Structures are given as C-alpha cells and as structure tokens.
Amino acid sequence: MTPFGRILCAMITPFTPAGSLDLDGAQRLADHLVTQGCDGLVLSGTTGESPTTTDAEKSALVTAVRQAVGTRATIVAGVGTPDTAHTAELARAAEKAGADGLLVTAPYYSLPPQDAIEAHFLEVANTTGLPLVLYDIPSRTGTRIAPDTLLRLAEHPAIVAVKDCSYDILSAQKLISRTDLAYYAGSDELNLALYAVGGAGCVSTVANVVPDRVSAVLDAFDAGGTARAAHLQQQLTALIEEMMAGGLPGAVTAKALLPALGLPAGPVRPPLRPAGPSATARLTRVLDGLTA
C-alpha cells in the first residue's frame, strides 16, 4: 500500500541569500526531484526547516510546489507542532494550499502521555479531508508513538501511513502485518530493510542530492534483484553517514551539497548554521566518490 508513492523526498526549503523564502528555487528543485525519480515531496518537515518558517511561508511553499509539479507527484505538508490547535490550523491551511496529505509529529517538549497523543492525532485527523502520515521520531519529540497507540489510530480512515524513525523494525514489522498502515522509512539507512519486510517506501533526506540513486535501490528490489538492491544501498552508505550521522542536521548537509549540483538551496536559518569549509569538503568528497 503506497498512498503517496514509494520515494518521497524530505525536501529542503530554499531561501534567498538574504534569508527569505525562495519560491522560484523551490519550484525548480521540486521539478528536478520529481524528474529524477521522486514520487512525492514532503514539505516543511524538519529537513525543510519547519521550526523557523512562518505559517504563511508554509502555505506559500505548498502552493508554489503544486504549481511546479502538478499531478506528477504527491505533496505531503508537515504540520507538526506541540500545540493541537495550531497543528489543526496548519492542517486546514495545507489543505487549502493544495497538499495531498499531512505529516504530523507527536507533540514535542511537553511529553504528553499516550492517551493525549492519541487524542491529538484524532483531532487533526478530523480537521480536514486529507490523509495523515504519523511521524514517529522519539529522538526529536521526546515521546514514542507506542505500538498499541498506533494500532488504535490505524482504525481511523484518515490515518493511512507512518514515517518511521523509531529504529524499532520489529514493532514496524508487527504493525505492517496487523494493520493497513503504509510504513515509510524515515531513516535513509533503513530504506531497503523496511521495504523488504513490507514497507511502502521511504521519506528520504538524501534524495535531495541523489534522488535517482535512492529510487534505484527500490527499483532493483521490485525487479527481483535483491542482491543488486543491497549493493546499491551499500553504495549509499558513506553519503548517508556523512549527511545524517556526521554531526550536522540533514538540512545543513543537503544545503551544503546542492549548490555544487546547480540546484537551489540558500542559507539555513538560525539557530542552524551552515556547514563550515571542512565539513563541506568532506561531504563533497563523498558525493564525488559516489557519482564518479
């Protein structure tokens, strides 16, 4: 079950050199990503610097990207906040702007119990006519969406998918087998592993830089070339490690690499800071080694 496609890019949000929203750049980048193999785009996620973009910017981004990609790709809008009312407001705005779905995190920082997390998701699910992707990323939110909570939430017709960054593939496999939830790997190193046990695909930060190579892994698996799929995934290991586990956030590392590819990026917004010369050089060497 792939309600939004298999390869979704957690797209960066391009900014101008002065730091304002670069809608032309967002349209160019979105068109490139879709042309290179992405079935969908996740806008205003963490990689899209959602904590530092305004509500108006989030809506404008969805509208602009929809104009650029038309019906060639799905658009999932990140609307996660620690405030249920604000999340519902963003959900309504995303629907009006043209999104196909909503990415919703567990409320962060306040550490609500599981019944409160469940109520939060249900309120957002009942707010619009859009399907929801629940984003389980306890390392960022401080709170796991417990498997039993996901089992109950899966009964709601609008809750159709999970972006899984729990690093608990056993629980993911159990939920895949017991529900109709589409499970998307949210950690690039697990793209193939989760897909192989019934996942729907991935939401990839690395796809900002090499969308064709991220897509090729799952293409090979679907074609029955499991050994080739494993080899292609292994080839991505160094880039995944440098971009996602090298000590800098994915928004920073992706924006360090995109200009050399002739693609829009711009600066990151504070409190993030750009990759320094040494980090950029390391990233570039790894990408060059992959694409040589």
Side-chain angles (χ1 to χ4, degrees), residues 1 8 10 61 102 137 144 155 160 177 196 215 225 273 286 288:
M1 182 177 175
L8 280 65
L61 185 63
L102 304 169
I137 182 165
R144 177 83 189 271
E155 297 175 5
V160 302
S177 68
S215 178
R273 302 183 68 181
V286 171
D288 288 346

Side-chain angles (χ1 to χ4, degrees), residues 107-131:
Y108 45 87
Y109 190 75
S110 55
L111 300 179
Q114 289 297 310
D115 61 339
I117 292 172
E118 184 175 352
H120 172 85
F121 285 131
L122 290 174
E123 181 161 342
V124 179
N126 292 326
T127 293
T128 76
L130 295 180

Side-chain angles (χ1 to χ4, degrees), residues 44-116:
S44 298
T46 309
T47 302
E49 297 180 73
S50 59
T52 53
T53 55
T54 68
D55 292 2
E57 287 175 326
K58 290 177 173 66
S59 291
L61 185 63
V62 172
T63 299
V65 171
R66 173 56 74 205
Q67 291 172 352
V69 304
T71 59
R72 293 181 295 144
T74 58
I75 294 175
V76 178
V79 298
T81 81
D83 174 359
T84 302
H86 187 200
T87 303
E89 181 182 349
L90 287 175
R92 289 188 290 270
E95 182 178 38
K96 184 177 180 180
D100 298 302
L102 304 169
L103 179 71
V104 191
T105 63
Y108 45 87
Y109 190 75
S110 55
L111 300 179
Q114 289 297 310
D115 61 339

Side-chain angles (χ1 to χ4, degrees), residues 58 90 163 174 195 263 272 279:
K58 290 177 173 66
L90 287 175
K163 179 184 176 185
K174 288 167 64 176
Y195 195 64
L263 294 168
L272 296 182

Side-chain angles (χ1 to χ4, degrees), residues 144 147 151 164 166 168-179 181 183 193-194 196-199:
R144 177 83 189 271
L151 279 172
D164 184 33
S166 69
D168 184 354
I169 200 164
L170 176 59
S171 289
Q173 189 171 337
K174 288 167 64 176
L175 282 155
I176 289 167
S177 68
R178 295 177 62 183
T179 73
L181 290 171
Y183 254 74
L194 189 58
V197 295

Side-chain angles (χ1 to χ4, degrees), residues 219-282:
D219 287 345
F221 187 88
D222 284 344
T226 54
R228 175 162 175 75
H231 175 68
L232 292 172
Q233 178 71 28
Q234 290 161 10
Q235 285 186 325
L236 286 168
T237 300
L239 183 62
I240 292 169
E241 184 174 23
E242 198 63 48
M243 286 187 67
M244 308 306 297
L248 294 173
V252 173
T253 58
K255 284 191 168 184
L257 287 170
L258 286 169
L261 299 172
L263 294 168
V268 290
R269 282 183 176 171
L272 296 182
R273 302 183 68 181
S278 61
T280 301
R282 287 196 306 273

